[in-house]
Amino acid sequence: MLPIALCSVVAVAIILERFWSLRKSRIAPQGLREQIIQQALSSPLSSSQLFELEQNSPLGRLFAAGLRNASYSREVMKESIEEAATAVIHQLEHFLSLLGTIAAITPLLGLLGTVLGMIDVFAVIMEQGSGQANLLAGGISKALMTTAAGLSIAIPALLFHRFFERRVSELVVELEQESIKLVEQLHGQRAR
């Protein structure tokens, strides 16, 4: 039960952290592209402004990568954004593999607890015989509780793992669309 309890604590911590970290307002602040377009068209952004933009949000990080190469061709600007996007996507997926692992191993830990409990029950049967039903029922009950505990951790962990994977996918699409619009607006291929 101790490993299952530890998994539950880690899963709850990851779920809370991911809810906090994957807020759309934190990842892709509304109106950021319009603000950056206005600034970039009036005068080039300084390196300190680009650094501040980079620290603002993951979308700001992509914009800063593109704006550093805005004087080059559209393709170079897009490539620099794509390179920065690799790191941003990795950051968005942080802890999701651990949450998926917890969802996968907690039922197995529960099953292991059940098997070990059943071994203890059979040891009691060997020592005292099968006439004491209350000892057997108590042992079987303890053994099955580990499976129930493992499943009660695994099911929500799996649901939240899938939920956060979907949220990351949606955020990546949003970041991609905003970045493409920035590139096209700065290179005059889209209406401002």
Side-chain angles (χ1 to χ4, degrees):
M1 286 295 281
L2 186 61
I4 293 173
L6 180 63
C7 285
S8 72
V9 169
V10 172
V12 168
I14 290 171
I15 290 166
L16 293 175
E17 188 275 337
R18 290 289 84 191
F19 265 120
W20 178 257
S21 296
L22 294 178
R23 291 172 293 140
K24 187 176 178 186
S25 62
R26 185 190 161 287
I27 303 298
Q30 194 171 15
L32 182 63
R33 180 176 40 87
E34 290 82 9
Q35 177 186 350
I36 296 304
I37 291 288
Q38 288 176 355
Q39 287 179 347
L41 292 177
S42 64
S43 66
L45 276 71
S46 67
S47 58
S48 64
Q49 288 174 313
L50 288 174
F51 179 76
E52 184 180 322
L53 176 63
E54 213 170 33
Q55 302 305 310
N56 178 23
S57 65
L59 182 60
R61 193 168 167 188
L62 298 182
F63 285 176
L67 290 169
R68 282 193 177 93
N69 295 291
S71 61
Y72 299 106
S73 71
R74 180 177 185 262
E75 287 73 28
V76 171
M77 192 174 175
K78 283 180 92 169
E79 279 180 26
S80 63
I81 289 173
E82 288 171 3
E83 289 170 7
T86 303
V88 166
I89 292 169
H90 180 72
Q91 180 186 18
L92 294 178
E93 293 174 340
H94 194 58
F95 293 131
L96 290 187
S97 62
L98 179 57
L99 187 60
T101 301
I102 289 171
I105 66 166
T106 50
L108 297 175
L109 290 171
L111 182 61
L112 177 63
T114 299
V115 169
L116 294 175
M118 294 305 289
I119 290 170
D120 289 343
V121 168
F122 286 118
V124 168
I125 291 174
M126 282 178 32
E127 289 177 12
Q128 299 180 7
S130 61
Q132 296 182 353
N134 60 343
L135 286 175
L136 297 178
I140 292 171
S141 170
K142 287 180 186 175
L144 292 176
M145 284 176 59
T146 59
T147 299
L151 289 172
S152 66
I153 302 306
I155 292 169
L158 181 62
L159 289 173
F160 281 109
H161 179 259
R162 299 277 190 226
F163 172 78
F164 289 127
E165 279 185 335
R166 178 70 181 158
R167 180 173 278 183
V168 166
S169 296
E170 290 171 356
L171 289 169
V172 166
V173 168
E174 173 91 14
L175 294 174
E176 184 179 277
Q177 289 175 345
E178 287 294 309
S179 298
I180 289 170
K181 288 176 186 176
L182 176 81
V183 171
E184 291 178 353
Q185 284 181 334
L186 287 179
H187 282 279
Q189 296 181 353
R190 182 180 287 228
R192 288 177 180 76

